[in-house]
Amino acid sequence: MAVEGEAGVPAVSASGRRRTRLDLTAPALLGFPVVWLVAFFLVPIAIVAAYSFDIYSLFPGKHGFTLAAWRAFLHSSVYLGLFWKSVKMSLIVSAVVVALAYPVAYYLALSGTKRKYVLLLVLIAPFLTSYLLRVLAWKVILGNEGVLNSFLVWVGVRSRDHPISQLLYSRFAVMLVLTYVWVPFVALPIFVSLESLDRRLLEAACDLGASRWQAFRRVTLPLSLPGVMAGFLFVFIPTVGEFVTPSLVGGTSGYMYGNQISDLFSTGFPDWETGSVLALFLLAVVAVLTAAFARFLQVRQVTAH
Amino acid sequence: MEEGRDLLERRISREDLLKLAAATGAAGLVAGRTGLAGAARAELAKESGRLQVLDWAGYGNDGGQTMFAAYVKKYPKNKPQFTYMTNEADALAKLHAGLKPDLFRPYVGWTKYFATSGLVQPWDPKLISNFKHLNPFMVKAGQLNGKQYGIPEDWGFDQILYRSDKVKPKAKSWGLLFDERYKGKIAWFDDLEMLTIAGLYLGFKNPWNQSDAELKKSQNLLKSKKHLVRLIWSSETNLWEAFGSGELWIAYAWPNDWVQMKKKKLKVVYMHPKEKPIAWVGMLMLLKGTQRYHLAHAYADAWSSAKSAKWLEDNYGYGHANTLARPSSSDLMRVLQITNPRAVTLPNAYFDRDIPRRSLYAKMWEEVKAA
């Protein structure tokens, strides 16, 4: 005897229809993104790979499969050195951004303020202006005749002839600007993970005699780690290949791996082969790191649950 | 249809007739005016649409309109449409990627490369009325195998700009770009030409074609001195901003940069190094297979006029190949040595030239930046 549903239709056949609908909906929904991904992500990567092996080139001349550019890159202390410099800068920026964003997200999520969404909006308000403008604004702040140096002269800490000149066009300037740009981005995932925290766990911790610090360290922090890690990756992945900010405020010492890729493609004499090698290497390292972080995240989530 | 009627009804000026007559050769001249007008109309009818120009920022509809105002007045239906190039390598990549401009403007160091690349075709100087006023030395630099591949236009020098109230050079030398006393106050230019400058400073016989050992020495010099450099500039506005605000005291610079810093009332000297400056000239080049051959010539003619030349000198601070033009500024007259028709060559300066191993130079310069 078939079990009847509310409308008198046998439940089995209804669920069967639902299954059929789902089966058709999923490909329909995923189809376009998959085609998009293949056409504008995988195919371009394949083309870049073809450039790196000199299988394909825009420029005339003899071309054929070769590992020469890869070999040169892997034996080049210059390019690898620049890569590690960029990784170090990016790691520092990511860590500082997370450290700055966490208290903000914590306050918004757990302070119980009624205006938390208004404050969140204020936090992301800089995104309403152009990225370029936000970066250029730092030139006005950090320059020799900028806001900061003018203030120091005004309070008598520095003389007009001896401003702090290493604020702009330096590695410090790049890291400072990147930190400023990425803090709101990181605050968001941390805010989401903290807001979804089950408050009863904190109450239970307090009931069991934990201090506020202990409750934070042993309950809140571990449970918000997925958000922290996601935020960390949000910063690390784009900044390690960053080239706009360094080209605007970095000067010689703030030159990063992303600038080198850009320059190999567009200045001097086009060297798309080496540029492609550098780009693919960056992609591979970021992919590996992302996979590692994703695995770590899953482990933490399982542990937390 | 409408466009076709417009073309047929377009009035042909006497100047156009003469140019087209020259283009169609002796047969056209003998054919008489009526026949010529028909031939001219046919030629112009073929050349429809907007003229496609690949040029540097600042030379299109973003401020450089005066340079081609005469062309626009004469051919309002074929106004130029611009694509911008950031450097010759960028232009090369764009051309190979399928961009089809009618003309573009690389600098003299690339003339030979492009002329032998199969991408360009020679001009017909007879179609450019102002051609006879152009500096003969620069005109010759635009030739290869007797054919005129480049029409010389803007020119200037690569020299050293420094703040005379802050910097006391030990000598008039490119060495000022490598002076340890001014660490953090020096700017280089983002181009493989820095290797040529290093070669000049080190006294190599031919800095444009250095041997492997010489090139290594030049590269090592640049690597060892890079810590002194605050900025490797690629855009003049970037340089002006940093130099003007006192971040920089010494820079590789062009005449216009000196003009701009003088305007800011800075005490600046545009130093002529004892190893000699490098001189350059922009060359209009005509793309092979252009569908607007005569229009491109008319555009080059407008660029080559004395009126455009003077405007360029007064507003951009560069020299112009038109020998009739004189800038209003006596300072600029002096620094460019406008009255010396051979200012761009020895004994005054080294005229920039082809770098046979350009890709190697480029690779080594990239390594300097990455080091």
Side-chain angles (χ1 to χ4, degrees):
Chain A
M1 192 175 127
V3 179
E4 288 194 356
E6 278 178 34
V9 181
V12 172
S13 48
S15 82
R17 272 209 306 277
R18 272 203 300 275
R19 257 204 307 276
T20 309
R21 265 205 307 275
L22 276 176
D23 286 345
L24 290 173
T25 308
L29 285 173
L30 289 175
F32 181 69
V34 167
V35 169
W36 183 273
L37 200 67
V38 170
F40 298 112
F41 183 64
L42 296 180
V43 171
I45 287 176
I47 293 172
V48 172
Y51 278 124
S52 78
F53 295 114
D54 205 20
I55 299 167
Y56 175 65
S57 176
L58 270 187
F59 307 99
K62 279 186 180 175
H63 298 287
F65 179 84
T66 171
L67 292 170
W70 279 98
R71 215 174 282 128
F73 169 74
L74 294 171
H75 287 98
S76 161
S77 59
V78 173
Y79 292 137
L80 287 175
L82 184 64
F83 179 74
W84 289 121
K85 173 188 164 186
S86 298
V87 167
K88 275 187 278 181
M89 286 171 72
S90 193
L91 283 173
I92 293 169
V93 168
S94 306
V96 173
V97 166
V98 167
L100 291 174
Y102 196 96
V104 178
Y106 185 90
Y107 174 77
L108 291 177
L110 299 177
S111 69
T113 175
K114 287 177 184 173
R115 296 200 179 97
K116 63 181 170 187
Y117 290 107
V118 176
L119 291 173
L120 199 64
L121 196 66
V122 170
L123 184 70
I124 61 172
F127 291 128
L128 300 175
T129 58
S130 131
Y131 179 82
L132 208 57
L133 271 181
R134 278 180 282 146
V135 176
L136 288 173
W138 279 98
K139 279 192 164 185
V140 179
I141 297 170
L142 300 175
N144 267 11
E145 295 170 355
V147 176
L148 200 57
N149 271 313
S150 299
F151 175 75
L152 293 175
V153 170
W154 184 64
V155 297
V157 175
R158 306 289 291 202
S159 74
R160 191 163 291 282
D161 289 338
H162 296 94
I164 305 176
S165 59
Q166 294 305 320
L167 291 176
L168 190 58
Y169 301 121
S170 62
R171 204 177 296 190
F172 165 77
V174 175
M175 293 199 286
L176 178 69
V177 174
L178 287 177
T179 301
Y180 155 77
V181 167
W182 287 98
V183 162
F185 266 117
V186 173
L188 285 175
I190 299 176
F191 169 79
V192 170
S193 71
L194 285 171
E195 213 196 22
S196 59
L197 192 73
D198 188 346
R199 310 291 170 93
R200 289 173 302 177
L201 292 171
L202 294 175
E203 288 168 14
C206 289
D207 289 347
L208 292 170
S211 66
R212 289 185 71 176
W213 168 245
Q214 282 173 321
F216 170 76
R217 198 168 55 85
R218 304 189 67 171
V219 180
T220 311
L221 187 61
L223 289 176
S224 62
L225 268 185
V228 170
M229 287 301 164
F232 190 88
L233 274 186
F234 267 21
V235 185
F236 180 76
I237 292 172
T239 53
V240 76
E242 174 70 62
F243 75 97
V244 175
T245 307
S247 63
L248 292 173
V249 299
T252 313
S253 63
Y255 190 80
M256 290 178 76
Y257 190 75
N259 298 92
Q260 184 73 86
I261 295 174
S262 166
D263 286 351
L264 283 165
F265 277 93
S266 62
T267 61
F269 192 86
D271 187 359
W272 288 28
E273 207 180 326
T274 309
S276 300
V277 170
L278 264 69
L280 285 175
F281 181 76
L282 175 65
L283 185 75
V285 171
V286 166
V288 168
L289 283 173
T290 308
F293 272 114
R295 186 170 169 75
F296 174 73
L297 276 179
Q298 281 169 359
V299 170
R300 296 302 307 181
Q301 275 171 322
V302 169
T303 312
H305 287 302
Chain B
M1 193 71 190
E2 189 69 31
E3 192 184 349
R5 196 164 67 236
D6 283 347
L7 286 166
L8 286 173
E9 286 173 2
R10 182 181 293 149
R11 291 185 62 193
I12 308 294
S13 70
R14 182 178 168 77
E15 195 180 1
D16 286 334
L17 278 172
L18 288 172
K19 282 180 202 164
L20 289 165
T24 48
L29 282 171
V30 181
R33 196 146 181 177
T34 314
L36 260 177
R41 283 196 192 100
E43 284 294 328
L44 282 167
K46 281 182 208 162
E47 297 191 6
S48 60
R50 297 180 68 172
L51 185 71
Q52 300 299 313
V53 182
L54 176 61
D55 210 332
W56 306 73
Y59 292 90
N61 291 318
D62 56 345
Q65 289 92 329
T66 311
M67 295 305 294
F68 51 88
Y71 167 84
V72 172
K73 196 176 172 188
K74 201 179 281 183
Y75 302 102
K77 290 187 189 305
N78 306 97
K79 284 178 185 166
Q81 191 166 35
F82 292 92
T83 305
Y84 291 113
M85 52 192 269
T86 52
N87 51 55
E88 287 87 350
D90 177 50
L92 181 64
K94 284 186 165 110
L95 295 175
H96 280 301
L99 184 75
K100 301 274 183 208
D102 296 303
L103 70 163
F104 76 125
R105 191 165 54 92
Y107 280 85
V108 67
W110 283 76
T111 306
K112 188 178 174 188
Y113 178 87
F114 281 114
T116 54
S117 69
L119 292 165
V120 299
Q121 62 175 318
W123 295 89
D124 182 353
K126 289 197 282 296
L127 296 179
I128 300 171
S129 63
N130 288 304
F131 187 78
K132 58 182 175 289
H133 300 306
L134 301 181
N135 181 312
F137 180 81
M138 295 179 195
V139 164
K140 201 165 171 51
Q143 294 173 350
L144 188 76
N145 300 328
K147 290 176 180 167
Q148 196 71 42
Y149 282 93
I151 304 294
E153 301 293 347
D154 57 319
W155 62 269
F157 298 109
D158 302 329
Q159 290 181 192
I160 301 164
L161 179 73
Y162 71 86
R163 289 268 300 263
S164 54
D165 55 335
K166 306 277 187 188
V167 176
K168 303 292 168 215
K170 287 176 183 165
K172 284 186 173 185
S173 163
W174 282 112
L176 191 58
L177 292 179
F178 315 124
D179 195 324
E180 299 278 346
R181 294 175 297 161
Y182 302 108
K183 183 181 177 182
K185 293 291 180 187
I186 298 172
W188 292 353
F189 180 47
D190 189 358
D191 193 89
L192 55 88
E193 193 187 22
M194 287 305 305
L195 284 162
T196 311
I197 289 169
L200 278 174
Y201 175 68
L202 292 170
F204 298 147
K205 196 176 174 187
N206 185 356
W208 286 264
N209 193 14
Q210 298 174 39
S211 67
D212 288 348
E214 288 173 336
L215 208 44
K216 196 69 199 162
K217 279 182 188 167
S218 294
Q219 190 193 39
N220 285 341
L221 172 72
L222 295 176
K223 278 184 180 175
S224 68
K225 299 293 183 183
K226 204 185 81 169
H227 70 283
L228 307 173
V229 179
R230 184 78 172 280
L231 186 69
I232 299 179
W233 65 272
S234 55
S235 117
E236 278 184 293
T237 45
N238 205 358
L239 172 68
W240 299 343
E241 193 182 270
F243 205 99
S245 65
E247 309 276 349
L248 301 171
W249 293 347
I250 300 165
Y252 161 108
W254 300 329
N256 189 30
D257 307 325
W258 172 73
V259 172
Q260 295 301 326
M261 292 308 107
K262 290 262 290 184
K263 276 185 188 168
K264 289 193 177 204
K265 310 284 181 205
L266 290 178
K267 289 179 180 170
V268 281
V269 170
Y270 194 50
M271 184 170 77
H272 188 286
K274 65 183 180 191
E275 301 90 353
K276 315 251 185 250
I278 296 172
W280 40 262
V281 57
M283 294 279 184
L284 283 174
M285 298 192 95
L286 184 66
L287 269 293
K288 192 176 264 182
T290 170
Q291 301 295 306
R292 286 169 279 267
Y293 183 84
H294 291 89
L295 290 170
H297 279 77
Y299 184 87
D301 198 28
W303 253 77
S304 306
S305 72
K307 192 177 172 188
S308 301
K310 180 169 170 46
W311 183 88
L312 183 93
E313 289 172 348
D314 286 344
N315 290 276
Y316 281 16
Y318 301 131
H320 191 286
N322 189 313
T323 50
L324 302 178
R326 291 286 180 271
S328 305
S329 157
S330 54
D331 273 344
L332 195 62
M333 282 269 284
R334 185 172 46 79
V335 81
L336 286 174
Q337 302 177 44
I338 290 277
T339 50
N340 175 7
R342 292 181 64 87
V344 292
T345 189
L346 292 172
N348 187 55
Y350 286 110
F351 199 43
D352 202 12
R353 63 200 71 172
D354 181 55
I355 297 177
R357 296 198 296 168
R358 188 178 289 278
S359 60
L360 179 62
Y361 272 60
K363 208 177 189 68
M364 295 187 85
W365 169 241
E366 289 307 321
E367 285 175 4
V368 170
K369 286 196 290 177

